[in-house]
Amino acid sequence: MSYSSLEEIVQRCTREQIPFWKAVLLSDMEDRDAGEKESVAAMEQLWKAMQEAAASYDERRQSKSGLAGGMGGQMQMYLEKGGTLSGSFMSRVIAEALKMGESNACMQRIVAAPTAGACGVLPAVLIPLKEAEEIPADRMIEAMYTAAGIGQVIASRAFIAGAAGGCQAEIGSASAMAAGALVSVRGGSPEQIVHAAAMALKNLLGLVCDPVAGLVEVPCIKRNVIGAVNAVSCADMALAGITSRIPPDQVIDAMKEVGESMHISLKETGEGGVANTPEAEKIRKKLTMI
Amino acid sequence: MNIFDILGPVMVGPSSSHTAGAVRIGYVTRTLLGEKPVKADIALSGSFAATGSGHGTDRALIAGLLGMKPDDIRIPDSFQEAEHEGLAFSFRNVRIPEAHPNTALLKVEGEGGRKAEVQASSLGGGRIMINKLDGTEVHCSGACPTLIIRNQDSPGVVSEVTSILSWKRVNIATLQLYRDRRGGSAVMVIETDQPVQKETVSMLEHLEGIERIMYIRCGMTPASIGGE
Ligand code: SF4
């Protein structure tokens, strides 16, 4: 049976003396009646696809609407010059998030995590970390399980689609997954993992889904950046011993409540928020003419 | 929802419903037609019509018709591929009342002259639902192996089909029956736990009262749930 609360996972970890990722792996094997090898091989495939997607970024690509393309390259150039405000690791995170978001908009192959719109968040934190610290591949697969386990609980208690719960459900969930994954890489405890996730989700509570002209480009690509950067800071807080004052599962429930009360114009209809600005209207008109 | 519904699918962007789901609709339509399509008249409804072009929904549908899967990097260039493959296509926008916001109606013709008319919607996360087949209402997701059988609405046909399946050790997960009118033509939609072998399909085809059988193999990873 898959888990319906983060608490349940933490309890199993304590009971069976296993790490968080292992509890997720075991439940996947039970769930799908799959062997460990089979499950791990599938996860390795995803991790490989994620890295390939990152490597294949091309700054010359433009999306069909012309709204997306090139930002990842700009950020990369800027960070290579050195002296960025956010430091070299965080700048890499920002660049990766932009790149993946743009690749998605340009119809390249990506890994939905948990959705296509939020596909940049998880790789944006994992790939730069792997590069900076030469982390063994197993650690990264464990981090992927950790992220998946967090996402699964969010999906079962609340939602992970912008149309259902606003961007908090998409970028917010992705950020929670990424925060937990980072703590997992650093060998943090199950409690630290779920608290990192809770803080990340809480910080993005209320974020609306307002894609300009209904396209997964503006504000989506840059939202991947805030998801990723937020994940890094929440992981660091959790590793420092800071916890979420509200228990993690209750934060997820709060996200659900906020999502349900969110106006329909702010749930992927492209009718509210930045999608409802005069500039967005101009863009929409121009695009319907082509 | 399993963890590979959360991480994954591996897909060509930008949208799991408008792109990945659209590829699957095209792919399933090709399977239902049962041969290489040479002509496609595609009508887009709702949000497919409104934002479809920016999401590549049109190119995704054609890619699926050409047999590509949602992670095929040739999807953005499917229009050129169609030219190579001799698939002529056209798009138009329609309003299909009471349809799901992301709905497409595909009228296709195959190289051997077969025809099929499929109305399907993309539910999010790459999951799809076939709503209508050659004008008859059906409900089928194509996520597991599925037999779609058009038969005469006469006594005994259903039980003959199910007994052959049980003899061939194919377990039926769901069975749905649809018909336009009593005694006319009916449609059976059978989702199974195991794949159905070719010879089993041809055995079923030879049963009396069976007009046509279409088989959707579980060839595509059940795509994830999720947003766009
Ligand atoms: S704004 Fe909406 S479409 Fe864009 S990333 Fe957020 S949830 Fe997805």
Side-chain angles (χ1 to χ4, degrees):
Chain A
M1 262 299 280
S2 58
Y3 306 105
S4 52
S5 72
L6 293 173
E7 184 58 34
E8 221 179 296
I9 307 183
V10 173
Q11 276 172 4
R12 181 169 186 179
C13 293
T14 319
R15 203 171 52 235
E16 299 178 21
Q17 290 291 305
I18 50 173
F20 191 95
W21 65 267
K22 185 88 191 202
V24 179
L25 167 65
L26 289 175
S27 103
D28 178 50
M29 289 160 57
E30 293 153 14
D31 244 15
R32 298 187 302 121
D33 200 12
E36 175 164 345
K37 272 217 184 94
E38 184 191 336
S39 175
V40 172
M43 197 56 96
E44 282 170 350
Q45 275 297 313
L46 290 180
W47 172 233
K48 188 165 156 254
M50 231 177 224
Q51 294 175 90
E52 282 169 0
S56 70
Y57 174 75
D58 184 343
E59 64 185 50
R60 287 162 305 184
R61 274 192 205 109
Q62 286 274 320
S63 69
K64 197 173 172 226
S65 69
L67 292 172
M71 293 186 294
Q74 280 175 291
M75 189 65 205
Q76 187 68 35
M77 234 165 69
Y78 167 69
L79 82 89
E80 275 166 15
K81 277 196 303 212
T84 62
L85 291 170
S86 46
S88 65
F89 177 69
M90 205 61 121
S91 305
R92 278 284 292 131
V93 169
I94 296 171
E96 257 340 296
L98 290 172
K99 289 179 187 177
M100 199 66 86
E102 287 183 316
S103 287
N104 181 53
C106 296
M107 294 190 82
Q108 298 302 298
R109 191 194 275 152
I110 52 91
V111 180
T115 60
C119 71
V121 177
L122 189 58
V125 303
L126 290 184
I127 290 171
L129 187 63
K130 183 193 143 242
E131 285 170 4
E133 305 189 358
E134 288 182 27
I135 292 160
D138 291 0
R139 258 324 85 66
M140 306 316 287
I141 302 302
E142 294 168 13
M144 295 281 281
Y145 274 103
T146 303
I150 293 165
Q152 194 180 28
V153 171
I154 298 177
S156 88
R157 292 183 86 89
F159 19 53
I160 53 169
C167 200
Q168 56 164 8
E170 246 177 60
I171 295 288
S173 301
S175 190
M177 289 160 61
L182 284 171
V183 175
S184 163
V185 175
R186 280 295 172 87
S189 69
E191 281 82 8
Q192 285 174 318
I193 288 172
V194 296
H195 278 275
M199 290 188 279
L201 188 59
K202 205 164 50 169
N203 288 354
L204 294 174
L205 222 61
L207 194 62
V208 299
C209 172
D210 48 356
V212 168
L215 303 176
V216 195
E217 303 188 26
V218 181
C220 314
I221 296 167
K222 293 178 192 120
R223 291 253 169 95
N224 278 273
V225 175
I226 186 57
V229 169
N230 179 50
V232 175
S233 51
C234 292
D236 263 339
M237 281 197 278
L239 288 163
I242 298 169
T243 57
S244 167
R245 188 61 190 78
I246 305 296
D249 291 315
Q250 293 182 28
V251 173
I252 298 174
D253 297 344
M255 192 273 274
K256 182 177 190 214
E257 187 213 300
V258 171
E260 277 169 352
S261 60
M262 212 175 255
H263 192 259
I264 183 74
S265 67
L266 301 170
K267 291 199 263 197
E268 217 191 288
T269 49
E271 289 166 359
V274 293
N276 190 31
T277 54
E279 182 63 22
E281 188 52 27
K282 244 201 272 171
I283 293 171
R284 205 179 54 76
K285 281 224 178 86
K286 209 174 95 204
L287 289 178
T288 43
M289 304 229 320
I290 338 176
Chain B
M1 202 179 308
N2 76 56
I3 55 169
F4 296 103
D5 294 323
I6 303 293
L7 288 187
V10 179
M11 55 167 274
V12 163
S15 154
S16 56
S17 58
H18 286 71
T19 322
V23 179
R24 296 196 71 207
I25 289 175
Y27 188 91
V28 165
T29 302
R30 181 189 175 106
T31 316
L32 292 172
L33 180 66
E35 61 185 24
K36 190 176 154 187
V38 292
K39 198 171 161 228
D41 168 31
I42 302 173
L44 303 175
S45 164
S47 156
F48 263 12
T51 65
S53 164
H55 282 124
T57 304
D58 45 5
R59 284 173 283 174
L61 285 164
I62 296 300
L65 282 174
L66 294 170
M68 296 183 205
K69 302 207 174 155
D71 68 343
D72 198 310
I73 49 171
R74 296 170 303 162
I75 292 169
D77 308 316
S78 69
F79 285 1
Q80 286 98 297
E81 289 281 330
E83 209 167 302
H84 276 276
E85 297 275 328
L87 168 64
F89 61 86
S90 63
F91 282 94
R92 62 202 161 85
N93 290 345
V94 287
R95 191 179 288 267
I96 305 175
E98 305 195 6
H100 182 279
N102 299 326
T103 297
L105 175 65
L106 299 90
K107 287 185 195 161
V108 288
E109 265 178 59
E111 56 183 355
R114 288 196 193 177
K115 287 184 184 178
E117 199 180 309
V118 178
Q119 183 183 317
S121 27
S122 179
L123 307 180
R127 289 172 303 127
I128 64 164
M129 184 66 78
I130 302 165
N131 311 311
K132 262 188 191 171
L133 190 60
D134 298 328
T136 309
E137 218 163 295
V138 296
H139 291 282
C140 127
S141 71
C144 19
T146 308
L147 282 166
I148 300 181
I149 304 177
R150 191 169 268 287
N151 59 287
Q152 279 154 20
D153 183 20
S154 53
V157 180
V158 176
S159 74
E160 278 198 60
V161 168
T162 56
S163 60
I164 286 192
L165 288 176
S166 80
W167 176 50
K168 287 288 175 188
R169 301 199 161 275
V170 175
N171 194 41
I172 296 176
T174 67
L175 167 69
Q176 303 160 65
L177 303 171
Y178 305 92
R179 64 178 182 191
D180 300 330
R181 64 190 154 78
R182 193 164 164 180
S185 175
V187 174
M188 253 183 268
V189 177
I190 306 176
E191 295 182 312
T192 64
D193 290 333
Q194 293 82 21
V196 183
Q197 301 303 324
K198 243 199 178 132
E199 52 147 30
T200 311
V201 175
S202 74
M203 270 175 92
L204 293 171
E205 268 168 347
H206 285 97
L207 287 177
E208 203 171 322
I210 300 292
E211 290 167 0
R212 186 168 172 201
I213 298 192
M214 295 175 257
Y215 177 53
I216 308 174
R217 206 158 18 97
C218 190
M220 315 186 83
T221 32
S224 89
I225 61 114
E228 324 91 0

